[in-house]
Amino acid sequence: MCGIIAAASNRNVGKLLVQGLHKMEYRGYDSAGIALHQKDQIAHLRTLGKVKLLEEKMIAEKPKSKLGIAHTRWATHGKPNQVNAHPHKDQSGNIVLVHNGIIENYDPIKKFLRSKKVKFKSETDTEVLVQLIGYFFNKGKLNFEQSVRAALQRVDGAYGIVVLNKKEPDVMIAARRGSPLVLGIKDKEFFIGSDISPIIKHTQQIIYLEDAQMAIIDGDDYKITSINEDVSLPKKVEKIDFKIDDYDKGKFKYFMHKEIHEQIDTIRNTITGRTKKDSIMLHGLLDYWPEIKQADKIFITACGTSWHAGLIGKNLIERFAEVPVHVEYASEFRYNKTLVDNNSIVIAISQSGETADTLAAIKKANDYGAITVGICNVPGSSVSRETNCGIFTRCGHEVGVASTKAFTAQISILYLLALKLADSNDTMSKKAIKEHLDYDEGIKKIKNILNKENEIKKIALKYKNANDFLYLGRGLNFPVALEGALKLKEISYIHAEGYPAAEMKHGPIALVDKDMPNVFIVPKDKTYEKIISNIEEIKSRKGKIIIVTDSKDKILKDLANDLIYVPKTNHYMFCVLATIALQLFAYYIAVGKKLNVDRPRNLAKSVTVE
Ligand code: AGP
């Protein structure tokens, strides 16, 4: 959601903070701001709109500082405007803070502070927190650290914060609960980020702050402590191996486009090293494999695109390993009555590893004694730390808000997991498993789809002015239809729905008229004849038909207004290829509408609030 970058250094930090904000514009983008400590005062600049406007202000005002905090905002409480932009100050101007997350009990705290004559300027929940810290600090009984701790002990909700105090020019305090924060260390320089993207350029030595931890930077020194008590905690410094390249668009205009093209490598990376002839090695699950392989039911929980991957996982695990799988949105799982117990396996899927609902679902599963398994892309993220065991998707940093390479990596992992379970449960022969693991040819076929880019672009542009789309598929390709529709909605703002193809007769067909495009995903498999009947049904209502298929049958040519051919492979690879075709289709519709594909309106990359 919002993005935070902070730095303490011996050099001027203004420029690097603004550069960091640019790296995080994909997270939040309605306003931006910066606060720079200047010994006896704090320079405070905020702008509505893009980081570029803040940068222009910085160039004009040239504030110098060795300690500062900066923020890009994705509005939750209060409209996007300059007054609501971060950093926020307390009434005395002593305390300045940036925040990512939501303070849930802001209302009673605000009433309390108002009763103490505190005046508020913004509509944000964040201002309540900075005013509360200021309230404790200005009373004079608590020092800066104690004031931050006292305030945090009184707030509910999720937060990652960094706070400055006008009276202490060398001190910066960071704290987190729920929302992620990382601390980067390089000699005597310190960097704090809501993720590693703004700091990776400066250091690869990272501490992932854990829930309820605080980091206090004081000159050349720092300590890790707890929000709950004044104790010194171990400094767990890790060397991260993300490449700086992951944060550059290279020859592409948009990250989404770059990430679509990366899939030939990312899928290979995800699988490589985990298979050998007919065996699958998922080392991250080793300690819990005896329990996982005996599961008589598996739960999968996730949000958005990761939830779609979960539906594909269900299909594969049930098909290969014959274990029933229940897939539930994490936002529902966390509140619904659960049948999870200490014999259950709960798989949580998340690209970012920081999605608030997914984390809450993991917590619930842990509380019920289940074995929790994370499928996640970010080492050190909350999902990777809160689950008992897990597998990383290894597809590199995903910047585009519309998830692409993470989805195909997630389904690759679920494919391996399903085959490994099938192997352990003897539900598939070694020979069949070996055939499935002969994936190299399949992966090469991704190139074929990427080479068809111009063809897909031409088709996409024909439909860019449509108002509604239906995406229809069966079996493994029903989630592919959901994902295709989600991609289109997110980046082109065209209403699109995914359905199991036959289900469309039970309501959605009422929407179909001559202007409505219907995207059918049609592999030549056992449902082929059935899906052709579904296409006929739409055709007879004059709907436009776009078919993604691996069949050259004439009947499809006769039925389709447009055809996107994908090369012949197995079931799993077909859904990967069809997904990539639909990613490109959505991408070119959005580009055709001249939309900023990497910064879709109202969306943020990582949803760290409930
Ligand atoms: C995907 O294109 C979305 N932007 C979104 O649905 C995303 O998949 C969802 O928010 C879950 O994120 P996660 O995988 O990081 O948990």
Side-chain angles (χ1 to χ4, degrees):
M1 308 241 92
C2 304
I4 290 176
I5 161 95
S9 169
N10 280 327
R11 53 182 162 142
N12 190 8
V13 294
K15 194 168 165 196
L16 78 84
L17 290 177
V18 173
Q19 282 168 348
L21 290 182
H22 277 304
K23 290 277 175 216
M24 286 187 302
E25 273 187 296
Y26 75 97
R27 291 177 68 106
Y29 41 81
D30 58 48
S31 53
I34 194 162
L36 295 163
H37 217 305
Q38 300 180 312
K39 293 236 156 58
D40 49 355
Q41 59 159 345
I42 294 181
H44 186 215
L45 285 80
R46 296 180 294 175
T47 50
L48 176 64
K50 293 186 173 168
V51 172
K52 202 165 179 329
L53 300 172
L54 180 71
E55 189 171 16
E56 284 164 11
K57 228 178 188 177
M58 291 279 288
I59 292 169
E61 299 192 15
K62 297 189 186 55
K64 291 229 166 359
S65 169
K66 294 179 175 176
L67 186 90
I69 56 180
H71 188 271
T72 56
R73 176 167 186 253
W74 185 89
T76 55
H77 293 63
K79 28 185 177 315
N81 60 28
Q82 191 171 322
V83 178
N84 289 334
H86 298 219
H88 286 282
K89 285 188 192 181
D90 79 320
Q91 167 167 285
S92 69
N94 281 332
I95 307 296
V96 186
L97 167 146
V98 286
H99 166 221
N100 177 18
I102 289 182
I103 305 301
E104 285 170 358
N105 60 341
Y106 73 95
D107 198 39
I109 299 178
K110 196 167 189 172
K111 285 190 182 124
F112 163 77
L113 290 168
R114 276 194 171 133
S115 76
K116 302 286 173 195
K117 307 270 176 291
V118 173
K119 292 210 164 35
F120 287 83
K121 288 190 173 148
S122 76
E123 303 158 313
T124 64
D125 53 329
T126 301
E127 191 185 351
V128 171
L129 177 55
V130 74
Q131 295 281 18
L132 188 61
I133 298 171
Y135 168 75
F136 286 119
F137 184 69
N138 293 328
K139 281 211 305 196
K141 292 201 176 124
L142 301 181
N143 66 23
F144 181 29
E145 179 182 334
Q146 289 163 338
S147 303
V148 173
R149 189 176 283 116
L152 293 180
Q153 286 173 358
R154 284 160 179 82
V155 298
D156 299 330
Y159 52 80
I161 59 166
V162 190
V163 204
L164 302 183
N165 164 14
K166 193 163 85 180
K167 300 189 171 165
E168 293 177 67
D170 297 322
V171 182
M172 177 159 85
I173 299 183
R176 69 157 286 199
R177 197 188 288 277
S179 304
L181 268 191
V182 294
L183 168 65
I185 301 150
K186 188 185 178 200
D187 305 324
K188 290 173 182 171
E189 284 189 308
F190 299 96
F191 308 90
I192 295 164
S194 41
D195 66 48
I196 57 174
S197 60
I199 59 183
I200 184 142
K201 188 172 166 210
H202 309 288
T203 181
Q204 290 182 301
Q205 302 295 325
I206 297 289
I207 294 181
Y208 293 96
L209 284 188
E210 288 178 19
D211 243 11
Q213 283 191 341
M214 287 165 74
I216 323 275
I217 315 295
D218 189 350
D220 293 347
D221 203 9
Y222 76 103
K223 71 170 182 183
I224 307 293
T225 176
S226 160
I227 289 172
N228 303 321
E229 53 183 330
D230 183 3
V231 285
S232 197
L233 298 171
K235 298 170 174 173
K236 292 190 209 152
V237 183
E238 293 173 38
K239 183 163 184 320
I240 46 160
D241 63 357
F242 276 129
K243 294 195 297 297
I244 293 173
D245 282 6
D246 287 340
Y247 300 89
D248 281 322
K249 285 186 279 217
K251 62 175 185 186
F252 296 94
K253 183 163 180 209
Y254 291 110
F255 278 108
M256 180 185 178
H257 196 201
K258 175 184 174 235
E259 288 162 1
I260 291 173
H261 276 260
E262 280 172 0
Q263 291 173 103
I264 190 157
D265 295 326
T266 52
I267 294 177
R268 192 169 267 126
N269 263 353
T270 304
I271 301 179
T272 301
R274 289 174 164 143
T275 60
K276 207 185 244 171
K277 289 189 188 144
D278 58 358
S279 65
I280 298 152
M281 292 146 315
L282 299 174
H283 294 303
L285 305 186
L286 221 54
D287 291 348
Y288 291 87
W289 190 250
E291 290 89 350
I292 295 172
K293 71 176 189 197
Q294 277 168 15
D296 51 15
K297 184 165 188 185
I298 292 175
F299 295 78
I300 298 183
T301 188
C303 302
T305 288
S306 299
W307 182 78
H308 297 157
L311 292 177
I312 292 183
K314 169 186 165 72
N315 190 307
L316 292 169
I317 294 171
E318 291 181 345
R319 186 188 289 221
F320 294 164
E322 298 172 15
V323 181
V325 181
H326 172 77
V327 186
E328 196 166 4
Y329 284 120
S331 54
E332 294 295 310
F333 183 98
R334 65 186 289 185
Y335 293 115
N336 280 349
K337 178 174 167 61
T338 186
L339 299 176
V340 167
D341 61 24
N342 56 6
N343 287 316
S344 309
I345 306 298
V346 177
I347 302 176
I349 309 174
S350 173
Q351 185 287 128
S352 60
E354 301 297 349
T355 301
D357 285 321
T358 309
L359 286 168
I362 293 169
K363 182 168 183 323
K364 180 170 176 180
N366 283 337
D367 290 347
Y368 276 77
I371 291 174
T372 48
V373 180
I375 296 181
C376 168
N377 194 37
V378 183
S381 62
S382 305
V383 166
S384 72
R385 284 182 285 112
E386 304 293 327
T387 43
N388 296 120
C389 56
I391 319 165
F392 287 113
T393 38
R394 292 191 194 150
C395 64
H397 189 69
E398 189 181 66
V399 179
V401 169
S403 186
T404 51
K405 61 177 180 175
F407 178 70
T408 49
Q410 288 163 348
I411 58 184
S412 306
I413 293 289
L414 289 159
Y415 183 65
L416 293 180
L417 178 62
L419 288 171
K420 190 166 173 67
L421 282 167
D423 191 20
S424 297
N425 294 355
D426 273 336
T427 47
M428 257 171 115
S429 67
K430 288 268 181 218
K431 185 170 167 279
I433 292 173
K434 193 165 179 293
E435 274 164 21
H436 278 282
L437 292 182
D438 200 3
Y439 60 86
D440 208 52
E441 280 307 305
I443 292 180
K444 281 187 191 144
K445 290 183 177 159
I446 293 174
K447 193 93 196 143
N448 180 297
I449 296 295
L450 296 173
N451 287 343
K452 286 209 165 89
E453 182 154 17
N454 279 334
E455 238 174 82
I456 296 175
K457 178 177 175 183
K458 266 194 210 140
I459 299 173
L461 293 181
K462 279 168 63 179
Y463 296 97
K464 75 176 166 67
N465 295 322
N467 291 323
D468 304 279
F469 270 76
L470 275 183
Y471 281 68
L472 302 161
R474 303 184 80 136
L476 267 178
N477 292 298
F478 158 52
V480 173
L482 290 174
E483 178 59 10
L486 179 64
K487 286 297 83 101
L488 189 71
K489 273 187 268 216
E490 279 186 292
I491 58 171
S492 74
Y493 319 144
I494 296 175
H495 169 239
E497 290 190 53
Y499 269 95
E503 187 62 24
M504 133 310 261
K505 293 194 290 292
H506 301 278
I509 199 165
L511 296 168
V512 176
D513 63 13
K514 66 176 182 20
D515 297 320
M516 180 148 175
N518 299 269
V519 180
F520 279 91
I521 303 142
V522 191
K524 186 105 192 225
D525 65 9
K526 64 172 186 212
T527 61
Y528 179 71
E529 306 295 339
K530 304 280 171 206
I531 210 163
I532 287 182
S533 312
N534 300 143
I535 299 173
E536 304 265 15
E537 285 151 10
I538 299 273
K539 188 81 181 170
S540 59
R541 277 139 191 107
K542 300 197 168 45
K544 300 262 180 330
I545 310 283
I546 303 158
I547 298 178
V548 181
T549 185
D550 59 357
S551 157
K552 295 268 174 161
D553 288 356
K554 181 167 175 309
I555 184 161
L556 296 181
K557 281 188 204 141
D558 295 343
L559 286 170
N561 295 83
D562 287 287
L563 273 165
I564 301 174
Y565 286 115
V566 302
K568 282 230 168 289
T569 51
N570 63 21
H571 286 321
Y572 149 77
M573 214 49 212
F574 176 86
C575 54
V576 169
L577 298 179
T579 295
I580 296 174
L582 295 180
Q583 291 168 349
L584 285 169
F585 182 72
Y587 173 79
Y588 279 111
I589 289 190
V591 169
K593 293 179 81 178
K594 304 209 174 341
L595 296 169
N596 185 332
V597 174
D598 283 340
R599 292 196 204 127
R601 72 179 178 210
N602 304 340
L603 288 173
K605 180 63 184 161
S606 161
V607 184
T608 53
V609 294
E610 188 174 349

